[in-house]
Amino acid sequence: MPGKKMIARLEKDGADIEWLLSGHVHSTAPSSLSNTLALSRYRMDIENLFRKVRLQIAGSADVSKPEIDAYAIVDQDERIVDLTGSIEKFLGYEKGALSGAELSRLIHPDDYVTVQSVLQQQRLDDDIVSFASRFKTSDGSFIPVELCLYIKKIPMSEQAEYAMILKRRES
């Protein structure tokens, strides 16, 4: 059973809590329940990514939740599925401007070659990869970022999806 915090997050995301907890559907079906549940699943993926990053840095002195500037989900076609607008705000774009944008459009071409080669590798299990990269801002300039991708295989498929977190780094 999900805890109080998770239920609050799911409810905030618009999930039908009664259906999640009991399997009973209200007499009026929610308009986009599948999208809402997918959104909630991605939020859980982001939390899993945070946990895995914390485990990777457990040897350092600071084991608190890593500070990030933005996150998004990248689908199997390397298109950004923006969840909160954080990536747009971080890069200075208007809200909704990056919905469906290709990752290759945002990462500096010299850096994208490395990112793409990692994304195209065959994986047996979920994996986390990190990069130092440059992302394109709304004014066309590039800012240095730390990019961390949680690569998750889609069940019963050869495809993967990626939870992505970004943090501005010093030049």
Side-chain angles (χ1 to χ4, degrees), residues 152-168:
K152 184 172 177 73
K153 296 287 281 183
I154 298 173
M156 311 279 293
S157 170
E158 294 298 315
Q159 298 179 338
E161 54 191 4
Y162 316 93
M164 173 174 71
I165 58 174
L166 303 171
K167 181 179 181 185
R168 185 183 305 263

Side-chain angles (χ1 to χ4, degrees), residues 4 14 17-18 20-21 40 44 47 57 66 88 91 96-97 101-102 104 108 112 135 140 143 148 155 160 167-168 170:
K4 285 170 54 175
I17 301 303
E18 182 181 340
L20 288 172
L21 295 177
S40 296
M44 289 172 25
E47 290 299 322
I57 62 172
E88 293 157 333
L91 297 173
E102 293 178 9
S104 62
H108 191 281
Y112 181 69
F135 268 67
I143 59 170
C148 189
K167 181 179 181 185
R168 185 183 305 263
E170 302 300 319

Side-chain angles (χ1 to χ4, degrees), residues 43-58:
R43 296 235 191 247
M44 289 172 25
D45 285 346
I46 293 294
E47 290 299 322
N48 286 335
L49 177 58
F50 286 149
R51 272 189 229 104
K52 288 183 179 191
V53 169
R54 280 195 302 272
L55 287 174
Q56 284 187 349
I57 62 172

